[in-house]
Amino acid sequence: MSLNFVWIPRLAWNCCKNDVACSGNPLRSTKSFSAMHRVGSASNGNNSTRPRKEKRLTYVLNDSDDIKHCAGINCLALLTSAASDGSDYLFTGSRDGRLKRWALGVDRATCLATFESHVDWVNDAVLVGDSTLVSCSSDTTLKTWNALSFGTCTRTLRQHSDYVTCLTAAEKNNNIVASGGLGGEVFIWDIEAALAPVSKCNDDTVDESSNGINGSGNLLPLTSLRTINSSDNMSMHTTQTQGYIPIAAKGHKDSVYALAMNESGTILVSGGTEKVVRVWDTRSGSKTLKLRGHTDNIRALLLDSSGRYCLSGSSDSMIRLWDIGQQRCVHSYAVHTDSVWALASTPAFSHVYSGGRDFSLYLTDLQTRESSLLCTGEHPILQLALHDDSIWVATTDSSVHRWPAEGCNPQKIFLRGNSFLAGNLSFSRARVSLEGSTPVPVYKEPTLTILGTPAIVQHEVLNNKRHVLTKDVSGSVKLWEITKGVVIEDYGKVSFEEKKEELFEMVSISAWFTVDTRLGSLSVHLDTPQCFSAEMYSADLNIVGKPEDDKVNLARETLKGLLAHWLRKRKQRMGSPAPANGELLSGKDISSRSSTHSRIEADGSSENDAMVYPPFEFSVTSPPSIITEGSHGGPWRKKITDLDGTKDEKDFPWWCLDCVLNNRLPPRENTKCSFYLQPCEGSSVQILTQGKLSAPRILRIHKVVNYVIEKMLLDKPLDSLSAEGSIAPGLTGSQSQHQAVGDGSFRSGFQPSQKLKPSIEILCNNQVLSPEMSLATVRAYIWKKSDDLVLNYRLVQGS
């Protein structure tokens, strides 16, 4: 392949205050994933003239031990043997965006399935009936799953406008589920009706799909909507008249963090940042009353089986017991020293287990007010699940612990001693803590731990733009190669900053991706056209069998590696070979979309084949997951090895398919570097360069050396060189202004692969440049100015 300097004439050249745990509020964090996909919506409904942002493709790197969660556990759900196939199962939902099903034994828990479709944190999950799992996420959706399957998502429910934070279900009414979120919305769902297959329509409120993507099968359309407004009246929205939509319980003016329902599903309570407990009648859809008393956000709620008594936990550190019939608080319990985030009660509603931001799990007798500290951990407690005489504890850590709880006879714990009487004012518990009389935990160690992988909390993209240095919560530092999705070096517990300095390279590659660790692992984001801005020579990537001067586009080859499995499956399904170079997709969407973007470039630097080069081969033992969005439906997530080829082109961003199938790249900026090439002051060597030169950013300085030498050989007769190698005076050579030369080749007979021992030095800012430096590196680290780069050349002394 030929790389040319282009001469350019000189005249042509002319930017919840109390609920912060660990790295931030457990619910209100940056909306990196949900916002990412909502920005690039498929249409512009408000007729705005703002340029439309293209869909993003993200891939999430998975640890080698993929059966474990790699971020905090937000929710727990238990399915006991009486309701399952004879085994007890624990379902865990994590900030890594996945749910898992664990078979519980006496002394071990085995991961049987991973449920992967959400594209952001899983915030809550409930079981409905014998085999339906319902989850909610910060991606604004609810999803239903076959709980006893190996991860089959049966439906995606889209109704919320913001993060969905909490769910509750009626234990004896297998159909009723309520959801609440940061948008102040509360919806009451009839799951049986929501899952019923009906005729397809154009609405995307409910998606029917095994993977969370709008499939080609039936979609559930909308129906009339009962809205419960703040004046307790019901109104009917009949803009859509077919299918199902949930009841919207309107009344909250701000975020909803907690929900609870009685056994029959007739009474619903909700709480959030308004500091009041709202009570709803789910049968009529009306708001019946408000319960006031908390002084901060309400974070946890429980209802007894009849719906008469309600327990609430708040960021004011208090637990309150409410009599809904009498519409008043009958008891308040000051046992915690910080926010209360999780509650679980005994079946008789006589005792409550509570946990929160103070890392502590307490048991309290609701009648006698006697309390006991069961255990203290190292992380804030997010949710509890009582299981016979044990209790499962989920925290902001990726591991889940089982502690003794004596759920069948909690009085046994008080007989051990070390109990105290719960106060009724929040400051009373805080004062006791300050006085140093904190109770001694009853239990020191959990009876069982389901280990997780430490979440990544710090990262640095290295200058070569292929390696990322990470540090996890345990202090372990690792080096990832993102074009392969694997850890290439585990340094152990060393200084992150020192290791970053040690790995520093003076090299400049265009930033072609962004990274975040919101899901506890590395999420690599590709946005067009920026992702196609980085190129390297094949020799620098050690690609065997490819000409060393061939340019390799890093994003293009990464996309080929990510979609290699899908491409093979697609080819098998279609029964035809992959498209030839430049051939358009059969679908009209991609070709028509491509034609609307001017200057779409065919990448002529490499063959359009399915070959994946070694630096871009992703692991099949711990494959990354793709998060993206096509032209219909919403964002989806799936492991690259689970892409079975059944998805059509509408499930991917058009620019991604145009790259891997049609070998076409969008217009790219900043792939060239302009510079002036001038002799050093006092040098007797002169070559003809009038004006500015332009070359690829990745061009090496030894190519510039070769260019200077070639100009000397072409513009001056060979016998005009003196013994010292200087050009004899009086010979002016050609005055041609066309200054172009093949990359590394010479018209005087040198072969492209030859490395000519330079007799010329190139300098910048009076510093001699290494022949292996690129123009981009010189500009970034030596020139350090916004002006056009100036290079100087001179003869090497003694050559």
Side-chain angles (χ1 to χ4, degrees), residues 501-535:
E501 292 178 9
E502 178 185 326
L503 294 173
F504 173 80
E505 295 179 81
M506 188 181 289
V507 61
S508 179
I509 304 290
S510 296
W512 59 282
F513 63 90
T514 56
V515 174
D516 72 49
T517 57
R518 174 173 168 78
L519 301 181
S521 55
L522 286 179
S523 295
V524 183
H525 309 297
L526 302 181
D527 292 287
T528 189
Q530 301 94 319
C531 66
F532 295 109
S533 62
E535 296 175 325

mmCIF file of all heavy atoms in Angstrom, residues 501-535:
data_model
loop_
_atom_site.group_PDB
_atom_site.id
_atom_site.type_symbol
_atom_site.label_atom_id
_atom_site.label_comp_id
_atom_site.label_asym_id
_atom_site.label_seq_id
_atom_site.Cartn_x
_atom_site.Cartn_y
_atom_site.Cartn_z
ATOM 1 N N GLU A 501 2.720 5.084 35.909
ATOM 2 C CA GLU A 501 3.930 5.777 35.473
ATOM 3 C C GLU A 501 4.911 4.811 34.816
ATOM 4 O O GLU A 501 5.567 5.147 33.822
ATOM 5 C CB GLU A 501 4.596 6.465 36.663
ATOM 6 C CG GLU A 501 3.798 7.635 37.228
ATOM 7 C CD GLU A 501 4.467 8.267 38.433
ATOM 8 O OE1 GLU A 501 5.642 7.892 38.704
ATOM 9 O OE2 GLU A 501 3.840 9.106 39.096
ATOM 10 N N GLU A 502 4.999 3.602 35.372
ATOM 11 C CA GLU A 502 5.913 2.603 34.823
ATOM 12 C C GLU A 502 5.522 2.208 33.401
ATOM 13 O O GLU A 502 6.383 1.922 32.556
ATOM 14 C CB GLU A 502 5.905 1.374 35.745
ATOM 15 C CG GLU A 502 6.775 0.228 35.279
ATOM 16 C CD GLU A 502 6.618 -0.999 36.167
ATOM 17 O OE1 GLU A 502 6.418 -0.829 37.391
ATOM 18 O OE2 GLU A 502 6.664 -2.129 35.628
ATOM 19 N N LEU A 503 4.220 2.172 33.127
ATOM 20 C CA LEU A 503 3.725 1.731 31.822
ATOM 21 C C LEU A 503 3.622 2.871 30.814
ATOM 22 O O LEU A 503 3.182 2.645 29.680
ATOM 23 C CB LEU A 503 2.348 1.074 31.985
ATOM 24 C CG LEU A 503 2.317 -0.235 32.785
ATOM 25 C CD1 LEU A 503 0.892 -0.694 33.016
ATOM 26 C CD2 LEU A 503 3.117 -1.323 32.082
ATOM 27 N N PHE A 504 4.030 4.062 31.197
ATOM 28 C CA PHE A 504 3.907 5.201 30.294
ATOM 29 C C PHE A 504 4.735 4.986 29.031
ATOM 30 O O PHE A 504 5.883 4.553 29.080
ATOM 31 C CB PHE A 504 4.362 6.483 30.994
ATOM 32 C CG PHE A 504 4.414 7.674 30.072
ATOM 33 C CD1 PHE A 504 3.260 8.367 29.751
ATOM 34 C CD2 PHE A 504 5.625 8.080 29.515
ATOM 35 C CE1 PHE A 504 3.315 9.461 28.896
ATOM 36 C CE2 PHE A 504 5.682 9.172 28.659
ATOM 37 C CZ PHE A 504 4.514 9.861 28.353
ATOM 38 N N GLU A 505 4.133 5.270 27.882
ATOM 39 C CA GLU A 505 4.823 5.234 26.597
ATOM 40 C C GLU A 505 4.663 6.584 25.925
ATOM 41 O O GLU A 505 3.574 7.166 25.936
ATOM 42 C CB GLU A 505 4.220 4.173 25.677
ATOM 43 C CG GLU A 505 4.369 2.744 26.122
ATOM 44 C CD GLU A 505 3.692 1.801 25.133
ATOM 45 O OE1 GLU A 505 4.307 1.497 24.086
ATOM 46 O OE2 GLU A 505 2.551 1.409 25.384
ATOM 47 N N MET A 506 5.747 7.075 25.322
ATOM 48 C CA MET A 506 5.647 8.315 24.563
ATOM 49 C C MET A 506 5.131 7.977 23.177
ATOM 50 O O MET A 506 5.879 7.825 22.215
ATOM 51 C CB MET A 506 7.008 9.028 24.495
ATOM 52 C CG MET A 506 6.911 10.423 23.881
ATOM 53 S SD MET A 506 8.492 11.277 23.757
ATOM 54 C CE MET A 506 8.822 11.622 25.477
ATOM 55 N N VAL A 507 3.829 7.823 23.089
ATOM 56 C CA VAL A 507 3.179 7.488 21.834
ATOM 57 C C VAL A 507 1.824 8.173 21.820
ATOM 58 O O VAL A 507 1.182 8.345 22.864
ATOM 59 C CB VAL A 507 3.032 5.950 21.688
ATOM 60 C CG1 VAL A 507 2.190 5.374 22.809
ATOM 61 C CG2 VAL A 507 2.444 5.584 20.339
ATOM 62 N N SER A 508 1.392 8.609 20.660
ATOM 63 C CA SER A 508 0.114 9.307 20.536
ATOM 64 C C SER A 508 -0.763 8.606 19.511
ATOM 65 O O SER A 508 -0.428 8.541 18.326
ATOM 66 C CB SER A 508 0.343 10.767 20.127
ATOM 67 O OG SER A 508 -0.884 11.440 19.973
ATOM 68 N N ILE A 509 -1.865 8.042 20.002
ATOM 69 C CA ILE A 509 -2.870 7.396 19.153
ATOM 70 C C ILE A 509 -4.197 8.118 19.401
ATOM 71 O O ILE A 509 -4.516 8.481 20.536
ATOM 72 C CB ILE A 509 -3.030 5.896 19.494
ATOM 73 C CG1 ILE A 509 -1.684 5.169 19.404
ATOM 74 C CG2 ILE A 509 -4.065 5.234 18.596
ATOM 75 C CD1 ILE A 509 -1.138 5.021 18.022
ATOM 76 N N SER A 510 -4.966 8.324 18.361
ATOM 77 C CA SER A 510 -6.252 9.002 18.521
ATOM 78 C C SER A 510 -7.153 8.251 19.486
ATOM 79 O O SER A 510 -7.190 7.013 19.496
ATOM 80 C CB SER A 510 -6.954 9.130 17.167
ATOM 81 O OG SER A 510 -6.215 9.953 16.292
ATOM 82 N N ALA A 511 -7.887 8.990 20.308
ATOM 83 C CA ALA A 511 -8.839 8.378 21.242
ATOM 84 C C ALA A 511 -10.033 7.860 20.445
ATOM 85 O O ALA A 511 -10.814 8.646 19.901
ATOM 86 C CB ALA A 511 -9.283 9.402 22.277
ATOM 87 N N TRP A 512 -10.168 6.545 20.369
ATOM 88 C CA TRP A 512 -11.212 5.965 19.523
ATOM 89 C C TRP A 512 -12.322 5.289 20.332
ATOM 90 O O TRP A 512 -13.291 4.777 19.756
ATOM 91 C CB TRP A 512 -10.594 4.964 18.541
ATOM 92 C CG TRP A 512 -9.851 3.809 19.158
ATOM 93 C CD1 TRP A 512 -8.612 3.824 19.682
ATOM 94 C CD2 TRP A 512 -10.308 2.464 19.290
ATOM 95 N NE1 TRP A 512 -8.254 2.585 20.141
ATOM 96 C CE2 TRP A 512 -9.276 1.722 19.912
ATOM 97 C CE3 TRP A 512 -11.489 1.800 18.940
ATOM 98 C CZ2 TRP A 512 -9.400 0.369 20.197
ATOM 99 C CZ3 TRP A 512 -11.610 0.444 19.218
ATOM 100 C CH2 TRP A 512 -10.567 -0.252 19.834
ATOM 101 N N PHE A 513 -12.218 5.305 21.656
ATOM 102 C CA PHE A 513 -13.240 4.721 22.505
ATOM 103 C C PHE A 513 -13.242 5.463 23.829
ATOM 104 O O PHE A 513 -12.309 6.196 24.167
ATOM 105 C CB PHE A 513 -12.988 3.227 22.748
ATOM 106 C CG PHE A 513 -11.696 2.952 23.489
ATOM 107 C CD1 PHE A 513 -11.657 2.899 24.880
ATOM 108 C CD2 PHE A 513 -10.505 2.767 22.790
ATOM 109 C CE1 PHE A 513 -10.475 2.657 25.561
ATOM 110 C CE2 PHE A 513 -9.316 2.533 23.462
ATOM 111 C CZ PHE A 513 -9.299 2.478 24.851
ATOM 112 N N THR A 514 -14.312 5.275 24.582
ATOM 113 C CA THR A 514 -14.367 5.747 25.967
ATOM 114 C C THR A 514 -14.681 4.557 26.859
ATOM 115 O O THR A 514 -15.190 3.529 26.393
ATOM 116 C CB THR A 514 -15.435 6.839 26.155
ATOM 117 O OG1 THR A 514 -16.706 6.341 25.705
ATOM 118 C CG2 THR A 514 -15.074 8.089 25.373
ATOM 119 N N VAL A 515 -14.357 4.688 28.143
ATOM 120 C CA VAL A 515 -14.503 3.577 29.079
ATOM 121 C C VAL A 515 -15.177 4.077 30.349
ATOM 122 O O VAL A 515 -14.940 5.204 30.784
ATOM 123 C CB VAL A 515 -13.121 2.966 29.431
ATOM 124 C CG1 VAL A 515 -13.254 1.903 30.509
ATOM 125 C CG2 VAL A 515 -12.473 2.359 28.207
ATOM 126 N N ASP A 516 -16.038 3.257 30.938
ATOM 127 C CA ASP A 516 -16.483 3.514 32.304
ATOM 128 C C ASP A 516 -16.574 2.191 33.056
ATOM 129 O O ASP A 516 -16.495 1.113 32.456
ATOM 130 C CB ASP A 516 -17.814 4.293 32.346
ATOM 131 C CG ASP A 516 -19.015 3.476 31.929
ATOM 132 O OD1 ASP A 516 -19.196 2.345 32.438
ATOM 133 O OD2 ASP A 516 -19.812 3.958 31.113
ATOM 134 N N THR A 517 -16.726 2.282 34.376
ATOM 135 C CA THR A 517 -16.777 1.091 35.223
ATOM 136 C C THR A 517 -18.054 1.063 36.041
ATOM 137 O O THR A 517 -18.090 0.499 37.127
ATOM 138 C CB THR A 517 -15.548 1.036 36.148
ATOM 139 O OG1 THR A 517 -15.500 2.242 36.925
ATOM 140 C CG2 THR A 517 -14.270 0.905 35.347
ATOM 141 N N ARG A 518 -19.108 1.673 35.530
ATOM 142 C CA ARG A 518 -20.379 1.751 36.256
ATOM 143 C C ARG A 518 -20.937 0.379 36.599
ATOM 144 O O ARG A 518 -21.566 0.184 37.639
ATOM 145 C CB ARG A 518 -21.391 2.539 35.421
ATOM 146 C CG ARG A 518 -22.790 2.573 36.005
ATOM 147 C CD ARG A 518 -23.695 3.506 35.213
ATOM 148 N NE ARG A 518 -25.089 3.335 35.569
ATOM 149 C CZ ARG A 518 -25.659 3.827 36.662
ATOM 150 N NH1 ARG A 518 -24.935 4.495 37.523
ATOM 151 N NH2 ARG A 518 -26.941 3.636 36.900
ATOM 152 N N LEU A 519 -20.721 -0.606 35.737
ATOM 153 C CA LEU A 519 -21.241 -1.956 35.963
ATOM 154 C C LEU A 519 -20.261 -2.840 36.725
ATOM 155 O O LEU A 519 -20.468 -4.050 36.814
ATOM 156 C CB LEU A 519 -21.605 -2.611 34.627
ATOM 157 C CG LEU A 519 -22.656 -1.876 33.780
ATOM 158 C CD1 LEU A 519 -22.935 -2.641 32.499
ATOM 159 C CD2 LEU A 519 -23.950 -1.674 34.571
ATOM 160 N N GLY A 520 -19.213 -2.256 37.282
ATOM 161 C CA GLY A 520 -18.242 -3.033 38.047
ATOM 162 C C GLY A 520 -17.165 -3.656 37.200
ATOM 163 O O GLY A 520 -16.209 -4.225 37.723
ATOM 164 N N SER A 521 -17.311 -3.574 35.889
ATOM 165 C CA SER A 521 -16.301 -4.077 34.959
ATOM 166 C C SER A 521 -16.084 -3.018 33.892
ATOM 167 O O SER A 521 -16.745 -1.976 33.895
ATOM 168 C CB SER A 521 -16.758 -5.406 34.334
ATOM 169 O OG SER A 521 -18.032 -5.254 33.732
ATOM 170 N N LEU A 522 -15.172 -3.282 32.970
ATOM 171 C CA LEU A 522 -14.891 -2.302 31.925
ATOM 172 C C LEU A 522 -15.981 -2.326 30.860
ATOM 173 O O LEU A 522 -16.247 -3.371 30.260
ATOM 174 C CB LEU A 522 -13.540 -2.589 31.278
ATOM 175 C CG LEU A 522 -12.280 -2.242 32.075
ATOM 176 C CD1 LEU A 522 -11.036 -2.611 31.279
ATOM 177 C CD2 LEU A 522 -12.246 -0.770 32.449
ATOM 178 N N SER A 523 -16.601 -1.197 30.631
ATOM 179 C CA SER A 523 -17.536 -1.028 29.517
ATOM 180 C C SER A 523 -16.868 -0.120 28.508
ATOM 181 O O SER A 523 -16.510 1.017 28.827
ATOM 182 C CB SER A 523 -18.852 -0.412 29.988
ATOM 183 O OG SER A 523 -19.534 -1.271 30.868
ATOM 184 N N VAL A 524 -16.684 -0.623 27.292
ATOM 185 C CA VAL A 524 -15.995 0.114 26.241
ATOM 186 C C VAL A 524 -17.039 0.630 25.258
ATOM 187 O O VAL A 524 -17.810 -0.151 24.691
ATOM 188 C CB VAL A 524 -14.976 -0.783 25.517
ATOM 189 C CG1 VAL A 524 -14.207 0.023 24.473
ATOM 190 C CG2 VAL A 524 -14.018 -1.420 26.514
ATOM 191 N N HIS A 525 -17.083 1.940 25.066
ATOM 192 C CA HIS A 525 -18.108 2.566 24.233
ATOM 193 C C HIS A 525 -17.517 2.988 22.896
ATOM 194 O O HIS A 525 -16.474 3.658 22.845
ATOM 195 C CB HIS A 525 -18.684 3.802 24.936
ATOM 196 C CG HIS A 525 -19.135 3.545 26.333
ATOM 197 N ND1 HIS A 525 -20.161 2.662 26.644
ATOM 198 C CD2 HIS A 525 -18.711 4.036 27.522
ATOM 199 C CE1 HIS A 525 -20.345 2.648 27.950
ATOM 200 N NE2 HIS A 525 -19.472 3.466 28.507
ATOM 201 N N LEU A 526 -18.204 2.622 21.815
ATOM 202 C CA LEU A 526 -17.805 3.017 20.466
ATOM 203 C C LEU A 526 -18.885 3.919 19.884
ATOM 204 O O LEU A 526 -20.054 3.533 19.807
ATOM 205 C CB LEU A 526 -17.620 1.786 19.569
ATOM 206 C CG LEU A 526 -16.608 0.733 20.035
ATOM 207 C CD1 LEU A 526 -16.529 -0.406 19.027
ATOM 208 C CD2 LEU A 526 -15.240 1.352 20.252
ATOM 209 N N ASP A 527 -18.492 5.118 19.481
ATOM 210 C CA ASP A 527 -19.397 6.083 18.871
ATOM 211 C C ASP A 527 -18.860 6.466 17.506
ATOM 212 O O ASP A 527 -17.660 6.727 17.349
ATOM 213 C CB ASP A 527 -19.517 7.338 19.740
ATOM 214 C CG ASP A 527 -20.222 7.073 21.061
ATOM 215 O OD1 ASP A 527 -21.446 6.888 21.038
ATOM 216 O OD2 ASP A 527 -19.544 7.045 22.111
ATOM 217 N N THR A 528 -19.749 6.485 16.526
ATOM 218 C CA THR A 528 -19.339 6.885 15.184
ATOM 219 C C THR A 528 -19.459 8.399 15.025
ATOM 220 O O THR A 528 -20.372 9.002 15.597
ATOM 221 C CB THR A 528 -20.194 6.162 14.117
ATOM 222 O OG1 THR A 528 -19.660 6.393 12.823
ATOM 223 C CG2 THR A 528 -21.632 6.621 14.147
ATOM 224 N N PRO A 529 -18.577 9.055 14.294
ATOM 225 C CA PRO A 529 -17.437 8.478 13.554
ATOM 226 C C PRO A 529 -16.139 8.471 14.358
ATOM 227 O O PRO A 529 -15.115 8.044 13.842
ATOM 228 C CB PRO A 529 -17.316 9.435 12.368
ATOM 229 C CG PRO A 529 -17.710 10.772 12.945
ATOM 230 C CD PRO A 529 -18.793 10.488 13.962
ATOM 231 N N GLN A 530 -16.191 8.961 15.619
ATOM 232 C CA GLN A 530 -14.951 9.114 16.382
ATOM 233 C C GLN A 530 -14.186 7.801 16.528
ATOM 234 O O GLN A 530 -12.953 7.794 16.551
ATOM 235 C CB GLN A 530 -15.253 9.658 17.778
ATOM 236 C CG GLN A 530 -15.951 11.014 17.775
ATOM 237 C CD GLN A 530 -17.458 10.883 17.855
ATOM 238 O OE1 GLN A 530 -18.038 10.010 17.213
ATOM 239 N NE2 GLN A 530 -18.081 11.743 18.644
ATOM 240 N N CYS A 531 -14.926 6.679 16.640
ATOM 241 C CA CYS A 531 -14.243 5.414 16.912
ATOM 242 C C CYS A 531 -13.353 4.964 15.754
ATOM 243 O O CYS A 531 -12.456 4.139 15.943
ATOM 244 C CB CYS A 531 -15.260 4.326 17.266
ATOM 245 S SG CYS A 531 -16.360 3.851 15.914
ATOM 246 N N PHE A 532 -13.592 5.515 14.562
ATOM 247 C CA PHE A 532 -12.799 5.092 13.412
ATOM 248 C C PHE A 532 -11.578 5.978 13.176
ATOM 249 O O PHE A 532 -10.973 5.935 12.108
ATOM 250 C CB PHE A 532 -13.682 5.069 12.161
ATOM 251 C CG PHE A 532 -14.781 4.056 12.214
ATOM 252 C CD1 PHE A 532 -16.102 4.458 12.364
ATOM 253 C CD2 PHE A 532 -14.507 2.697 12.138
ATOM 254 C CE1 PHE A 532 -17.129 3.529 12.426
ATOM 255 C CE2 PHE A 532 -15.522 1.754 12.199
ATOM 256 C CZ PHE A 532 -16.836 2.171 12.357
ATOM 257 N N SER A 533 -11.208 6.783 14.155
ATOM 258 C CA SER A 533 -10.121 7.748 13.962
ATOM 259 C C SER A 533 -8.738 7.169 14.224
ATOM 260 O O SER A 533 -7.738 7.799 13.885
ATOM 261 C CB SER A 533 -10.337 8.961 14.876
ATOM 262 O OG SER A 533 -10.300 8.566 16.239
ATOM 263 N N ALA A 534 -8.653 5.973 14.828
ATOM 264 C CA ALA A 534 -7.345 5.427 15.224
ATOM 265 C C ALA A 534 -6.890 4.345 14.253
ATOM 266 O O ALA A 534 -7.637 3.407 13.952
ATOM 267 C CB ALA A 534 -7.413 4.865 16.636
ATOM 268 N N GLU A 535 -5.665 4.498 13.796
ATOM 269 C CA GLU A 535 -5.056 3.512 12.899
ATOM 270 C C GLU A 535 -3.662 3.173 13.406
ATOM 271 O O GLU A 535 -3.009 3.982 14.060
ATOM 272 C CB GLU A 535 -4.975 4.050 11.472
ATOM 273 C CG GLU A 535 -6.323 4.316 10.836
ATOM 274 C CD GLU A 535 -6.193 4.970 9.463
ATOM 275 O OE1 GLU A 535 -5.249 5.775 9.285
ATOM 276 O OE2 GLU A 535 -7.027 4.680 8.605
#
